[in-house]
């Protein structure tokens, strides 16, 4: 039996472990006479909801709100259908929404609940690795506007988060690995020892309880210091300036586009190269970063540098047309707000393109 961990860093508790159900039941008791809604997508409805209901019997009477899976559903039209369903089922200010799913469900459900009747309570039960260590933590909720990501959103905190690594069993391997990129990022920006642990176990022998706890702790501490991303929350953007450009480029050009974490993995290598150029990250550490990322992530080769740089200019983090980066002077430390010239960015993209394929 694995142990149960409770994190109190943020204003709401985060429970982690395969024994979360008694805590969850305890928490839900105060809602026993209230209306409870559970938001799922097709996959979490099939794989995760039965496990939840088997463990917490009274949730059988909860109203299930089910949507199709995928990023496309994170939009305002789906919100409207959810708000309509809440109204139709007489949801009121005392109702609770349980978001059972990946980042699409936690972002969409968080936004729907935070805006319904000026905000009803919600909790997250994240079911993808990415949502366990990243999307569910930190109070950002949003939907996309047409194809522009996260344009409509609000900061809204859940009442609590319950993370059960057992949900990962049914998650597609590629999705699992995608989430792993954010975990590597946490180690690179905050904790050198953590990177050593990740390197020694790899994904295959990963101790998810330990890793989730560690990553939740790292993200929570950063969010606690800067909840609204005025300054140090930008640390979490390491790998994301170039990574987001890879992600958009791949969406434009590939039949089977890169997942977010796959794009971030490539972005982290390029941005580690920039860190070596700008902040004197040691070559030995640059090579170490490559040796952690390369065996896990497929290398992305077919891209056009000019278009990638154009895409970076659209990034909302940029001010005055300069491209802004979070970089690392050494493994385990970060420096925000580095503005970099296009020719050096091109150089980093070429460096990445010419790496030998190791996977
Ligand atoms: N709010 C934030 O701070 C934040 C941070 C990072 C990412 N995000 C958002 O998170 C979203 C991506 O999240 P994601 O990668 O979890 O995507 P997702 O929610 O689309 O989940 C990925 C796929 O896995 C399926 N799935 C989920 N759990 C499963 C399980 N246990 N077993 C089997 N299948 C399962 C889903 O149905 C989906 O098909 C993006 O919209 C991104 O913008 C938000
Ligand atoms: Zn990310």
């Amino acid at each position: 039996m694995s142990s149960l961990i409770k994190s109190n860093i943020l204003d709401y508790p985060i429970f982690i472990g395969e024994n979360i159900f008694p805590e969850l039941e305890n928490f839900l008791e105060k809602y026993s006479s209230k209306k409870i809604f559970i938001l799922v997508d097709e996959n979490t409805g099939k794989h995760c909801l039965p496990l939840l209901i088997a463990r917490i019997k009274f949730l059988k009477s909860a109203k299930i709100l089910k949507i199709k899976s995928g990023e496309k559903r994170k939009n305002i039209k789906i919100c409207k259908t959810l708000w309509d369903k809440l109204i139709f089922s007489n949801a009121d200010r005392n109702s609770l929404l349980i978001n059972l799913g990946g980042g699409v469900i936690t972002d969409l459900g968080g936004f729907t609940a935070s805006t319904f009747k000026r905000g009803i309570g919600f909790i997250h039960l994240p079911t993808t690795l990415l949502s366990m260590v990243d999307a569910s933590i930190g109070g950002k909720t949003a939907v996309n506007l047409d194809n522009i990501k996260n344009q409509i959103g609000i900061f809204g905190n859940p009442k609590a988060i319950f993370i059960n690594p057992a949900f990962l069993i049914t998650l597609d391997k590629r999705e699992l690995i995608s989430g792993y990129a954010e975990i590597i990022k946490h180690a690179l920006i905050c904790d050198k020892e953590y990177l050593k642990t990740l390197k020694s176990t790899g994904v295959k022998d990963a101790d998810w309880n330990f890793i989730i706890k560690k990553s939740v702790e790292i993200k929570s501490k950063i969010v606690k210091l800067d909840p609204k991303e005025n300054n140090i929350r930008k640390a979490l953007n390491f790998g994301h300036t170039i990574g987001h450009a890879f992600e958009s480029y791949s969406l434009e050009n590939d039949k089977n586009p890169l997942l977010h974490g796959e794009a971030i993995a490539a972005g982290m290598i390029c941005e580690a190269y920039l860190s070596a150029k700008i902040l004197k990250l040691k070559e030995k550490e640059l090579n170490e970063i490559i040796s952690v990322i390369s065996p896990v992530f497929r290398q992305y080769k077919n891209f056009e540098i000019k278009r990638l740089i154009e895409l970076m200019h659209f990034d909302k983090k940029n001010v005055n047309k300069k491209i802004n980066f979070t970089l690392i002077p050494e493994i385990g430390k970060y420096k925000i707000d580095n503005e970099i010239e296009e020719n050096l960015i091109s150089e980093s993209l070429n460096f990445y393109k010419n790496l030998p394929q190791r996977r």
Side-chain angles (χ1 to χ4, degrees):
M1 276 275 232
S2 66
S3 59
L4 178 78
I5 297 153
K6 182 178 180 190
S7 165
N8 278 321
I9 298 170
L10 292 170
D11 295 342
Y12 42 90
I14 304 176
F15 299 92
I16 305 162
E18 284 169 20
N19 304 331
I20 55 161
F21 291 112
E23 282 296 337
L24 178 57
E25 191 157 27
N26 212 4
F27 171 90
L28 289 173
E29 247 157 40
K30 47 182 178 291
Y31 290 90
S32 56
S33 62
K34 319 258 164 59
K35 292 211 163 63
I36 298 182
F37 297 82
I38 308 176
L39 177 63
V40 293
D41 69 17
E42 298 160 304
N43 295 318
T44 62
K46 184 170 159 200
H47 299 296
C48 308
L49 187 60
L51 180 64
L52 176 64
I53 290 179
R55 295 298 300 267
I56 301 183
K57 299 274 188 297
F58 80 87
L59 285 179
K60 260 192 192 144
S61 58
K63 168 108 182 130
I64 309 300
L65 307 173
K66 194 178 199 167
I67 63 164
K68 288 192 174 157
S69 69
E71 182 72 26
K72 266 202 212 144
R73 270 74 202 189
K74 210 177 96 172
N75 64 44
I76 205 81
K77 214 166 140 195
I78 300 277
C79 273
K80 162 96 165 65
T81 63
L82 296 175
W83 289 320
D84 285 343
K85 282 184 185 159
L86 289 171
I87 293 267
F88 184 76
S89 307
N90 297 319
D92 60 29
R93 293 287 301 276
N94 298 315
S95 302
L96 180 78
L97 178 64
I98 301 178
N99 297 315
L100 178 66
V104 166
I105 291 293
T106 56
D107 271 14
L108 174 76
F111 179 75
T112 304
S114 299
T115 46
F116 183 74
K117 292 186 192 282
R118 297 199 183 85
I120 61 169
F122 64 94
I123 60 173
H124 292 318
L125 271 71
T127 61
T128 61
L129 186 58
L130 182 100
S131 59
M132 291 178 186
V133 298
D134 192 359
S136 70
I137 317 290
K140 280 187 182 175
T141 77
V143 293
N144 305 330
L145 192 63
D146 298 325
N147 289 326
I148 319 177
K149 276 192 66 134
N150 302 331
Q151 287 299 293
I152 308 296
I154 187 167
F155 283 96
N157 284 336
K159 299 261 180 225
I161 303 177
F162 298 88
I163 304 178
N164 186 350
F167 285 131
L168 296 175
I169 292 166
T170 54
L171 186 66
D172 180 75
K173 181 88 193 295
R174 199 176 153 203
E175 293 285 354
L176 184 84
I177 286 176
S178 174
Y180 196 68
E182 304 289 354
I183 289 167
I184 294 176
K185 178 193 76 181
H186 290 147
L188 291 180
I189 58 173
C190 282
D191 194 331
K192 198 170 178 165
E193 279 303 306
Y194 186 25
L195 192 74
K196 279 192 193 144
T197 311
L198 296 178
K199 199 174 168 185
S200 68
T201 59
V203 180
K204 219 168 124 251
D205 299 316
D207 173 354
W208 295 121
N209 272 296
F210 168 79
I211 287 177
I212 293 165
K213 172 187 162 275
K214 192 86 198 157
S215 273
V216 164
E217 194 177 282
I218 289 173
K219 180 158 183 188
S220 300
K221 281 185 178 160
I222 292 175
V223 167
K224 172 97 178 169
L225 291 170
D226 176 25
K228 301 225 165 147
E229 200 172 313
N230 294 316
N231 43 66
I232 78 157
R233 190 165 175 167
K234 292 186 203 166
L236 297 164
N237 293 336
F238 177 65
H240 282 61
T241 304
I242 295 184
H244 277 147
F246 274 124
E247 195 176 8
S248 308
Y249 185 92
S250 177
L251 275 175
E252 282 176 353
N253 292 286
D254 303 330
K255 266 204 194 119
N256 182 13
L258 290 175
L259 295 179
H260 176 73
E262 294 169 335
I264 297 313
M268 286 194 290
I269 293 182
C270 300
E271 296 185 18
Y273 177 88
L274 293 175
S275 302
K277 289 279 162 180
I278 300 280
L279 300 179
K280 307 265 178 294
L281 172 77
K282 290 201 177 93
E283 197 182 337
K284 189 170 155 261
E285 294 209 321
L286 171 62
N287 288 332
E288 190 179 344
I289 293 169
I290 297 168
S291 77
V292 174
I293 295 176
S294 294
V296 185
F297 294 91
R298 151 173 87 102
Q299 198 170 342
Y300 189 62
K301 287 262 185 194
N302 291 327
F303 58 86
E304 201 191 304
I305 291 182
K306 192 166 158 273
R307 179 66 188 145
L308 272 181
I309 292 184
E310 251 170 44
L311 288 165
M312 282 174 223
H313 280 292
F314 296 140
D315 197 299
K316 59 181 182 298
K317 295 186 284 297
N318 299 323
V319 194
N320 301 332
K321 291 202 168 173
K322 298 233 173 83
I323 302 179
N324 190 298
F325 288 83
T326 293
L327 299 178
I328 49 172
E330 61 182 270
I331 294 175
K333 297 218 156 68
Y334 59 81
K335 180 171 178 288
I336 60 169
D337 291 334
N338 301 275
E339 284 173 350
I340 297 187
E341 302 286 329
E342 283 186 13
N343 57 356
L344 196 52
I345 301 174
S346 299
E347 200 179 301
S348 77
L349 293 165
N350 268 318
F351 171 79
Y352 172 71
K353 202 176 216 172
N354 294 323
L355 281 176
Q357 178 62 278
R358 296 215 210 161
R359 197 181 171 204

